């Protein structure tokens, strides 16, 4: 369980150094109707590992993963697992200032059961996910463009 201080800190670090998005990935199995799928992608990138290790200690090692990213792997990245996000992103969301809308879309996306029966989800759900992905992508690119 996160303390109020940890919740506020996580909200601040996500707003400043984090990415909150829904990522489209290409499928390789070709057994499904669509050649792509979606996943939540909430992460924090830092040059030094100590901050990310501290956050991973708060949330539990089973709820995230620290890896490397960037040119020559100069940066560390903490990726939050979707099972942890389902429970905790709604708690962090009210404290976000800059990435609140992206977090709302990810929370809604994570709240949907991914497979319904043998045929997967219906066309209406795919249309909703397509729209959510497009909105998050636009919000994130607008934010990146406004910082330059």
């Amino acid at each position: 369980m996160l303390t109020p201080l940890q919740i506020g800190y996580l909200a601040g670090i996500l707003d400043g150094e984090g990415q909150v998005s829904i990522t489209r990935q290409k499928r390789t199995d070709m057994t499904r109707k669509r050649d792509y799928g979606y996943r939540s992608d909430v992460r924090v990138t830092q040059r030094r590992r100590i901050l990310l290790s501290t956050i991973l200690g708060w949330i539990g090692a089973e709820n995230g993963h620290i890896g490397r990213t960037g040119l020559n792997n100069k940066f560390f990245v903490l990726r939050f697992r979707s099972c942890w996000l389902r429970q905790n992103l709604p708690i962090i969301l009210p404290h976000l200032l800059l990435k609140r809308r992206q977090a709302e879309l990810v929370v809604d996306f994570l709240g949907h059961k991914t497979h319904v029966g043998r045929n997967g989800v219906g066309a209406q759900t795919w249309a909703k996910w397509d729209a959510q992905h497009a909105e998050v992508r636009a919000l994130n690119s607008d934010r990146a463009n406004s910082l330059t």
Side-chain angles (χ1 to χ4, degrees):
M1 188 70 161
L2 295 170
T3 67
L5 180 63
Q6 291 168 336
I7 291 167
Y9 192 88
L10 280 170
I13 201 76
L14 280 174
D15 266 340
E17 304 292 330
Q19 176 179 334
V20 179
S21 63
I22 298 169
T23 303
R24 185 175 171 161
Q25 8 180 188
K26 188 165 180 65
R27 289 186 189 265
T28 57
D29 60 4
M30 299 307 205
T31 60
R32 305 258 166 78
K33 293 179 184 178
R34 288 180 174 69
D35 63 347
Y36 64 92
Y38 292 112
R39 66 177 175 83
S40 62
D41 187 15
V42 178
R43 59 184 158 169
V44 178
T45 304
Q46 289 281 300
R47 187 167 273 246
R48 296 182 55 205
R49 185 182 175 120
I50 190 164
L51 171 67
L52 303 180
S53 295
T54 300
I55 294 171
L56 190 59
W58 293 346
I59 68 170
E62 69 280 2
N63 295 315
H65 171 73
I66 297 175
R68 300 297 293 251
T69 191
L71 187 63
N72 298 322
N73 287 325
K74 284 187 176 181
F75 298 95
F76 292 94
V77 60
L78 168 61
R79 293 180 190 272
F80 297 90
R81 298 203 194 285
S82 58
C83 57
W84 186 84
L85 290 170
R86 260 185 211 96
Q87 292 180 330
N88 292 284
L89 193 55
I91 297 166
I92 296 168
L93 192 146
H95 303 278
L96 292 169
L97 300 175
L98 302 175
K99 296 180 180 151
R100 183 176 292 179
R101 180 62 185 150
Q102 290 95 317
E104 290 170 347
L105 291 166
V106 169
V107 166
D108 186 63
F109 171 77
L110 288 170
H112 192 280
K113 188 175 177 185
T114 55
H115 296 287
V116 181
R118 286 180 32 189
N119 296 324
V121 298
Q124 190 174 28
T125 300
W126 277 104
K128 180 179 177 181
W129 288 346
D130 289 337
Q132 288 174 327
H133 170 257
E135 184 177 349
V136 168
R137 190 169 179 182
L139 287 165
N140 286 336
S141 79
D142 285 349
R143 188 156 329 281
N145 291 337
S146 70
L147 295 175
T148 57

